[in-house]
Amino acid sequence: MEWDWEFVRQIMPTLIDGLQITILATILGAAVAAVVGLVFAILRMVAPAPVARATGFAVEFIRGTPLLVQLYFIFYVLPDIGIRLPALVAGVIGLGIHYGTYAAEVYRAGIENVPRGQWEAAKATNLTARQTWTHVILPQAIPPMIPALANYLIAMFKETPLLSAITVLELMNQAKSIANSNYRYIEPMTLVGVFFLIMSLISVFFLRWLEERYARVDER
Amino acid sequence: MIDWSGYIGLILQGAWVTVELTLMGSALALVVAFAAGLGRLSRFMAVRSLATTYIEFFRGTSIFVQLFWAYFVLPFAGITLTPLQAGVLALGLNVGAYGAEVVRGAVKAIGREQREACIALNLTRYQAMRHIILPQALPLMLPTFGNNAIELLKGTAVVSLISLTDMTFQAQVVRAQTGSTLIPFATILVLYFVMAWVISLGMRWLERRAGRGLDGVRV
């Protein structure tokens, strides 16, 4: 079977529709992951020991199991206990929780990398807990986290095709339905690959720039 | 009351397929990782750019897209793969690309003085790599290889979407036949977690072995 440009032109609008959903899911997923990650990180660092240990186990469990199965779990099991979610919402929650566990590790490493002396100096200068966090710890902890978080954002973007398995009409699902109704797989599947490749090549350059910009706090 | 024993057998069959896929995929990934990782460090421009293209391509698109491409598009090029072959190929090449960067990073992390000593001792490039550089680089690679193997295990769930009867596929079958959702999905989540845990235990054991005799050498 030959590559057909006319067919490509014809299916492009549908694929662009799918791409929009893909990007929407990525952005929403990232927002959920940022918040969930913060909750996990705080629970692991400051909660009483049993809670911290339980959170640690939950994080390990989520990281050790496939996102696809977690999506199935959210999409198929939750309706049985009365929580009925639209596919996109279920997908965003799945992405958010899965990548939240990765974000939690980034937050934790970022905060733990602030030298002890900074905490002691804050205490010595009689800063309140709030002042210590907002003026001393976070301004030093956040910049090194940015490249690592961006890295997971790209990883999450590449995982969004999994949402097609729970019927979200994103890029991959649009491509599959085009392929199934026209019996032509070459163009839609290749185009999906090309879309992802272009997006992630762009984001790799963006990531390099972020690393240049933020990763060298200690050298300043 | 549903008779669960048959369904448990089904899920265990799926678990075996998942294990097979993970093992074969890891084997392919390991070979590819060393080939591409060392290829990127080659003297020859052509080899370097070939390896870089491969790595960027497979890291830039997701495993899902690669799998569908291998399964649905390659037949048009005259290469028809069974779902298992397509799965092993896509998983191995995908994780291999990540592994290649690990190999490259670890080899580059070996100090300059080691290379200079090799030149001073008149070792060939092959000898230097085989006897000096790689034995020291290997322990640096293992922890990340462990993570990559777990990523590969998690990636195997995707093959259920090209109708390969792995654990996730069987859980869907059980769901369709019994209407129960919690039990099949909770079961396979636990099984995946146990497999990931076994991988990380195994890797820790390997790390201890590979690190033997290198105390004092590494800083």
Side-chain angles (χ1 to χ4, degrees):
Chain A
M1 211 183 261
E2 288 294 302
W3 181 269
D4 180 358
W5 282 108
E6 179 54 29
F7 185 56
V8 169
R9 206 179 54 77
Q10 212 178 319
I11 64 179
M12 208 45 124
T14 323
L15 289 181
I16 300 276
D17 281 351
L19 187 64
Q20 281 169 354
I21 300 290
T22 293
I23 291 172
L24 181 71
T26 310
I27 293 170
L28 294 178
V32 175
V35 176
V36 168
L38 196 61
V39 172
F40 278 139
I42 290 172
L43 281 179
R44 266 188 107 162
M45 282 189 294
V46 297
V51 179
R53 256 205 305 278
T55 314
F57 180 76
V59 167
E60 286 299 309
F61 190 88
I62 294 170
R63 285 168 66 116
T65 51
L67 177 59
L68 179 64
V69 182
Q70 292 165 6
L71 289 173
Y72 282 153
F73 197 88
I74 294 170
F75 191 62
Y76 291 118
V77 178
L78 290 189
D80 284 358
I81 56 168
I83 307 169
R84 202 166 287 278
L85 299 168
L88 183 62
V89 176
V92 165
I93 292 175
L95 281 174
I97 292 179
H98 193 83
Y99 280 92
T101 59
Y102 290 91
E105 292 301 301
V106 176
Y107 292 149
R108 206 161 65 106
I111 291 169
E112 282 174 359
N113 276 342
V114 176
R116 263 187 79 79
Q118 299 288 328
W119 290 93
E120 287 162 3
K123 190 161 253 176
T125 45
N126 205 19
L127 297 184
T128 63
R130 194 195 147 80
Q131 285 169 326
T132 307
W133 279 101
T134 56
H135 296 298
V136 180
I137 305 303
L138 289 183
Q140 295 185 75
I142 289 174
M145 292 176 193
I146 291 173
L149 289 176
N151 210 352
Y152 284 126
L153 178 68
I154 297 172
M156 189 168 82
F157 171 69
K158 284 184 294 189
E159 295 266 30
T160 51
L162 288 181
L163 299 191
S164 66
I166 57 165
T167 72
V168 178
L169 270 179
E170 45 65 75
L171 183 55
M172 188 70 185
N173 217 355
Q174 296 283 20
K176 269 196 287 184
S177 59
I178 292 170
N180 288 335
S181 50
N182 294 287
Y183 298 106
R184 289 189 69 95
Y185 282 93
I186 305 183
E187 292 90 354
M189 289 302 155
T190 309
L191 283 175
V192 170
V194 170
F195 273 135
F196 273 97
L197 197 60
I198 292 172
M199 297 287 284
S200 48
L201 285 178
I202 294 172
S203 40
V204 165
F205 282 109
F206 180 60
L207 190 64
R208 297 245 165 86
W209 178 78
L210 279 178
E211 274 169 4
E212 292 278 305
R213 172 95 174 63
Y214 289 110
R216 300 206 199 110
V217 175
D218 40 329
E219 288 165 27
R220 252 186 239 150
Chain B
M1 189 60 209
I2 304 165
D3 175 27
W4 284 106
S5 57
Y7 294 119
I8 288 173
L10 212 56
I11 285 186
L12 287 180
Q13 274 174 24
W16 178 240
V17 174
T18 296
V19 170
E20 270 183 335
L21 259 175
T22 309
L23 290 179
M24 289 196 281
S26 300
L28 178 61
L30 197 64
V31 173
V32 170
F34 273 96
L38 296 179
R40 254 196 112 162
L41 297 164
S42 160
R43 274 177 293 180
F44 307 107
M45 238 297 265
V47 178
R48 275 206 308 274
S49 48
L50 191 70
T52 310
T53 311
Y54 157 72
I55 291 170
E56 290 300 330
F57 180 78
F58 278 90
R59 277 165 33 121
T61 53
S62 72
I63 174 72
F64 193 1
V65 180
Q66 289 156 20
L67 188 67
F68 268 71
W69 208 82
Y71 190 59
F72 288 112
V73 179
L74 283 187
F76 293 117
I79 308 166
T80 307
L81 300 171
T82 63
L84 185 68
Q85 287 166 337
V88 170
L89 189 71
L91 286 166
L93 290 180
N94 180 278
V95 177
Y98 287 89
E101 289 293 272
V102 179
V103 171
R104 187 176 72 105
V107 168
K108 288 195 89 168
I110 300 306
R112 230 184 121 69
E113 72 284 357
Q114 297 285 337
R115 284 167 200 287
E116 283 164 1
C118 294
I119 294 170
L121 290 172
N122 204 19
L123 296 184
T124 63
R125 285 172 67 90
Y126 170 78
Q127 284 173 326
M129 194 51 94
R130 164 73 186 78
H131 297 289
I132 311 295
I133 309 291
L134 281 184
Q136 295 181 70
L138 204 58
L140 300 179
M141 299 174 197
L142 284 177
T144 326
F145 275 169
N147 287 342
N148 287 350
I150 292 176
E151 289 298 323
L152 196 146
L153 167 69
K154 286 157 64 179
T156 59
V158 176
V159 299
S160 63
L161 300 172
I162 57 165
S163 71
L164 186 53
T165 54
D166 80 320
M167 204 151 70
T168 308
F169 186 89
Q170 301 289 27
Q172 285 280 37
V173 171
V174 173
R175 180 182 72 86
Q177 291 187 1
T178 62
S180 161
T181 52
L182 178 65
I183 294 173
F185 287 130
T187 311
I188 66 167
L189 276 177
V190 170
L191 284 173
Y192 275 116
F193 183 64
V194 170
M195 288 180 193
W197 181 66
V198 169
I199 291 177
S200 66
L201 279 188
M203 286 318 268
R204 239 174 279 160
W205 177 78
L206 266 182
E207 269 168 55
R208 272 201 306 278
R209 276 205 56 140
R212 250 183 233 164
L214 281 177
D215 311 330
V217 178
R218 265 191 295 159
V219 269

